């Protein structure tokens, strides 16, 4: 089944490539392609089946591929910048090289702390902030001073507040962090383009890193905790996308309710110590094929996405469409109709839509939730009058009394 | 940021989440982690849907995500109950335990070589001590002695 899906996706990719190939540069020359290859390799080595040093190599190459992948989007629009004539042709390669150098501090942090996950995450965040600021400075040719100040304050605050610091240091750290927060708040009202981009870069990378950590942790408890990080950052991304209610709902419903249920079941069903099946999964071959299938899926999806630009423009040219500029400062045109309201009107619009047009679906969802409640309860009810069933359990079951 | 570029970024993140979840679902054998991976794929789809909805100026994407969250909650409740029932039968969360439900004629999957657990993972994490231990006065000591005696 895996092989079939891989083959399907690959053939789709090839088809898409040949269909759009004329005029556009070849797919193999984009950073996207190489980042996919590197990422597959990294995921293969990282997933639980290998020894620890092998997994370290996997993590490094995965991080490198991530940097390249996030560069793919700005580089796709690089043609416009080139056409403006401000920059020369070597600049993208230069930026790629510089940003890939930035992964070195993360690796150093990982080496010095012997892989303490949250320290590495913190270092990664800081490096990302710096990288995104550097990227914006390159793109805009004007260093946004306030953002640099915020980052400096936040960085110093984090460093001073680290566990192990003395009390006075911690106080200074809290002070600096508060300053940084205040500066962020001063930026907030018109969440500017640069800030949104920087926030997006950080959040997106944290999402992907924590997602990979979720599937590569050997202990399922750590997996669940990393998944919580994924959910929180996904909530942040939804907020950035202007879906405020959904962002909050993700944090409350997913991270607050569903994930806690997961952890509860995990604690209930966790055998003593680490289980062997978390260490080996299905063996290296299956892991490799799976990583390949995942990369093919992502490659197919992103290749379509990256070629979206040209198709959209081609579509836009003959007729007036609903697309428009989200920056809000675009010249007035045919674009009053189709923008989702933000701010206070967001909830009004959402609620009106949910309980107006989708009212029956809401009722159906209520019925579904109730049915799920009853079903979940009835699955685990023990019937007393049944004769003792022929259990196939190899181990005695210590937790059945708990349900 | 240009609108199409922003849409592309969000779609990229959604695709990555989906792909990572897919790989995890195929690779992991722990049923709960497989379930987490399915939820991760749902998250990827949610990010993409909201991005498209924002791009098109339409509420449909967000509506669909709201209902997807509701269905995911149901699914988690039922699925975890089923996993718990399976665990009560087998004593482990391993999905390979249930491979005798496979199709006729398929060879069984056998673990070839189980690696040793690394030394540093055998130790469970400890919480760093926090706070100040309260001074024990006479009455408290008396009570504790009484409790240990009982």
């Amino acid at each position: 089944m895996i092989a079939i899906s891989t083959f399907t996706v690959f053939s789709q990719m090839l088809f898409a490539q040949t269909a759009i190939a004329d005029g556009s540069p070849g797919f193999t020359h984009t950073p996207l392609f190489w980042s996919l290859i590197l990422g597959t390799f990294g995921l293969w080595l990282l997933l639980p089946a290998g020894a620890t040093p092998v997994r370290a190599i996997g993590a490094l190459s995965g991080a490198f591929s991530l940097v390249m992948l996030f560069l793919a989007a700005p580089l796709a629009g690089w043609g416009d910048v080139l056409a403006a004539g401000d920059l020369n042709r070597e600049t993208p390669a230069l930026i790629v090289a510089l940003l890939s150098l930035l992964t070195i501090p993360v690796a150093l942090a990982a080496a010095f702390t012997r892989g303490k996950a949250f320290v590495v995450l913190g270092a990664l965040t800081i490096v990302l902030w710096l990288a995104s600021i550097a990227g914006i400075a390159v793109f805009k040719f004007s260093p946004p001073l306030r953002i640099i100040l915020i980052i400096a304050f936040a960085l110093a605050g984090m460093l001073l507040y680290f566990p192990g610091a003395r009390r006075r240091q911690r106080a200074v750290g809290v002070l600096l962090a508060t300053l940084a927060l205040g500066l962020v708040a001063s930026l907030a009202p018109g969440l500017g383009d640069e800030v949104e981009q920087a926030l997006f870069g950080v959040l997106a990378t944290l999402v992907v890193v924590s997602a990979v950590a979720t599937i590569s942790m050997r202990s399922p408890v750590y997996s669940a905790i990393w998944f919580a990080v994924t959910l929180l950052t996904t909530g942040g991304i939804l907020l950035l996308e202007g879906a405020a209610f959904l962002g909050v709902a993700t944090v409350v419903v997913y991270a607050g309710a569903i994930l806690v249920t997961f952890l509860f079941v995990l604690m209930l069903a966790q055998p003593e110590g680490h289980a062997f099946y978390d260490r080996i999964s299905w063996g290296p071959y299956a892991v490799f094929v799976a990583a390949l299938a995942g990369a093919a899926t992502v490659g197919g999806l992103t290749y379509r996405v990256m070629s979206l630009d040209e198709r959209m423009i081609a579509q836009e040219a003959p007729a007036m469409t609903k697309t428009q500029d989200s920056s809000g400062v675009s010249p007035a045109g045919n674009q009053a109709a189709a923008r989702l309201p933000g701010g206070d009107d967001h909830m009004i619009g959402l609620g009106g839509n949910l309980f107006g047009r989708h009212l029956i679906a809401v009722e159906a969802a209520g019925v579904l939730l109730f049915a799920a409640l009853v079903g979940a309860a009835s699955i685990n009810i023990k019937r007393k009058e049944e004769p003792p069933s022929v259990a196939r359990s190899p181990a005695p079951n210590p937790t059945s009394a708990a349900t | 940021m240009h609108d199409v570029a922003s849409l592309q970024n969000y779609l990229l993140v959604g695709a990555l989440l989906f792909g990572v979840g897919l790989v995890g679902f195929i690779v992991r054998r722990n049923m709960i982690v497989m379930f987490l991976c399915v939820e991760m794929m749902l998250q990827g789809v949610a990010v993409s849907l909201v991005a498209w909805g924002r791009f098109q100026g339409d509420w449909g994407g967000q509506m669909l995500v709201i209902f997807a969250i509701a269905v995911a909650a149901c699914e988690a409740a039922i699925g975890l109950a089923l996993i718990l029932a399976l665990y009560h039968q087998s004593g482990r969360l391993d999905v390979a335990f249930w491979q005798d439900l496979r199709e006729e004629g398929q060879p069984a999957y056998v673990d070839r070589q189980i690696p040793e657990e690394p030394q540093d993972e055998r130790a469970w994490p400890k919480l760093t001590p926090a706070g100040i231990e309260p001074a024990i006065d006479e009455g408290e000591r008396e009570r504790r002695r009484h409790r240990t005696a009982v």
Side-chain angles (χ1 to χ4, degrees), chain B residues 54-97:
Chain B
R54 179 197 187 191
F55 182 74
Q56 304 277 2
D58 191 278
W59 285 107
Q62 296 194 25
M63 290 299 129
L64 198 49
V65 173
I66 287 177
F67 290 118
I69 287 179
V71 173
C74 300
E75 172 214 327
I78 298 279
L80 286 174
L82 284 174
I83 285 176
L84 216 52
L86 289 179
Y87 171 74
H88 285 167
Q89 299 247 318
S90 71
R92 50 173 87 162
L93 290 170
D94 190 2
V95 81
F97 183 84

Side-chain angles (χ1 to χ4, degrees), chain A residues 156-380:
Chain A
M158 254 167 93
L159 283 181
L160 288 178
Y161 194 70
F162 242 62
R166 283 195 217 98
R167 185 173 294 174
R168 198 175 300 166
Q169 283 183 349
R170 291 189 142 202
V172 177
V174 169
L175 194 71
L176 283 177
T178 321
L179 260 179
L181 269 182
L183 276 175
V184 169
S186 79
L187 283 172
L191 193 68
D193 234 0
E194 296 89 358
V195 182
E196 193 185 331
Q197 274 187 51
L199 269 178
F200 173 78
V202 172
L203 281 176
T205 313
L206 286 184
V207 163
V208 179
V209 167
S210 56
V212 171
T214 304
I215 69 168
S216 61
M217 283 288 136
R218 290 202 190 100
S219 168
V221 179
Y222 284 136
S223 283
I225 291 171
W226 277 109
F227 187 61
V229 177
T230 313
L231 286 177
L232 290 179
T233 41
T234 311
I237 280 196
L238 289 176
L239 274 181
L240 263 189
E241 280 181 306
F245 175 76
L246 273 179
V248 176
T250 303
V251 173
V252 171
V253 177
Y254 262 107
I258 297 183
L259 196 73
V260 170
T261 321
F262 271 106
L263 277 175
F264 181 70
V265 172
L266 209 53
M267 297 298 171
L268 212 59
Q270 175 83 347
E272 283 299 308
H274 294 121
F276 71 92
Y277 45 84
D278 280 325
R279 286 204 299 282
I280 49 176
S281 68
W282 300 103
Y285 170 68
V287 170
F288 179 67
V289 175
L292 210 63
T297 313
V298 174
L301 289 173
T302 44
Y303 186 67
R304 286 284 172 84
V305 167
M306 289 308 157
S307 60
L308 206 65
D309 221 347
E310 300 141 31
R311 272 188 281 161
M312 284 292 165
I313 290 164
Q315 203 181 40
E316 215 166 340
M320 295 202 307
T321 60
K322 283 201 268 181
T323 66
Q324 70 230 264
D325 215 291
S326 71
S327 61
V329 293
S330 58
N334 51 334
Q335 23 188 275
R339 265 197 85 187
L340 293 183
D344 292 345
D345 293 339
H346 175 75
M347 282 313 293
I348 296 172
L350 189 85
N353 216 297
L354 184 61
F355 293 108
R357 191 174 160 197
H358 299 281
L359 184 61
I360 296 176
V362 171
E363 299 291 335
V367 173
L368 181 66
L369 279 167
F370 185 65
L373 178 70
V374 174
S378 72
I379 284 173
N380 272 346

